[in-house]
Amino acid sequence: MNRLNRLWILCLSAAVFLLSGCAANCNSCRRAQERNRRPLEGNAWVVYQIDGYTIPTAELDTEIRFHATDHTFRCTGRAEGLTGHFAQNEAEVELRFELDAPTDAPRGTLYDKLREVLSHTSAYAMDAGMLLLMEGNRLLAVLQAQDK
């Protein structure tokens, strides 16, 4: 019985040790993400993937630029004319868009897809130079920062 108790304590100690190592790794990942986090403003965010569809390299011309002074954004490239306001809560990682009136872009274009994504975005995450737009836990779009 004494031997069985020792084995039980040894197994329990090993489990606690492993779980604490996993928790430490998660914290270091979060710290690394915070260090690599880029501000929304001051970067050109290129639309890289939308609704699971990766934009072909030749078509990577659609950018979103955020302006901190008046909390507006403007799209260029294939989504030219898509503009509006944004509200960001960094503590809660919330990001919401209020879109201006639509332009006369043809249906089914990247403009329409991006407009739909922005109107459903409620949260965001950053991973190095990538901005992940989400609705709850569902990934809607991936944007890549371009320094300019």
Side-chain angles (χ1 to χ4, degrees):
M1 188 73 172
N2 194 16
R3 185 180 230 178
L4 188 58
N5 283 343
R6 286 183 186 165
L7 183 61
W8 173 250
I9 291 172
L10 181 64
C11 287
L12 188 59
S13 298
V16 168
F17 178 74
L18 288 173
L19 288 176
S20 65
C22 289
N25 283 338
C26 290
N27 286 335
S28 64
C29 273
R30 284 189 200 112
R31 282 192 299 270
Q33 284 181 354
E34 288 299 318
R35 272 194 316 272
N36 294 328
R37 179 179 219 104
R38 292 189 173 205
L40 292 178
E41 306 86 9
N43 291 295
W45 294 95
V46 177
V47 179
Y48 180 76
Q49 186 182 70
I50 192 162
D51 261 347
Y53 171 74
T54 301
I55 310 294
T57 306
E59 298 175 18
L60 286 176
D61 67 346
T62 302
E63 297 178 351
I64 300 178
R65 287 189 172 267
F66 296 92
H67 306 282
T69 53
D70 54 0
H71 293 281
T72 60
F73 71 91
R74 176 173 301 284
C75 297
T76 59
R78 296 178 198 275
E80 183 75 43
L82 185 56
T83 60
H85 291 81
F86 71 96
Q88 177 187 18
N89 180 343
E90 288 187 42
E92 301 292 326
V93 292
E94 292 178 346
L95 183 63
R96 299 198 184 276
F97 294 93
E98 181 183 316
L99 304 173
D100 291 341
T103 60
D104 296 329
R107 286 273 176 223
T109 63
L110 181 62
Y111 175 97
D112 288 327
K113 290 178 185 175
L114 188 57
R115 184 174 184 78
E116 184 177 336
V117 162
L118 295 178
S119 67
H120 287 95
T121 297
S122 61
Y124 74 101
M126 296 247 185
D127 188 9
M130 303 297 247
L131 172 63
L132 312 174
L133 300 180
M134 299 177 291
E135 179 180 32
N137 289 329
R138 183 174 158 246
L139 180 63
L140 300 175
V142 177
L143 288 75
Q144 186 172 16
Q146 301 290 317
D147 295 319
K148 287 196 175 184

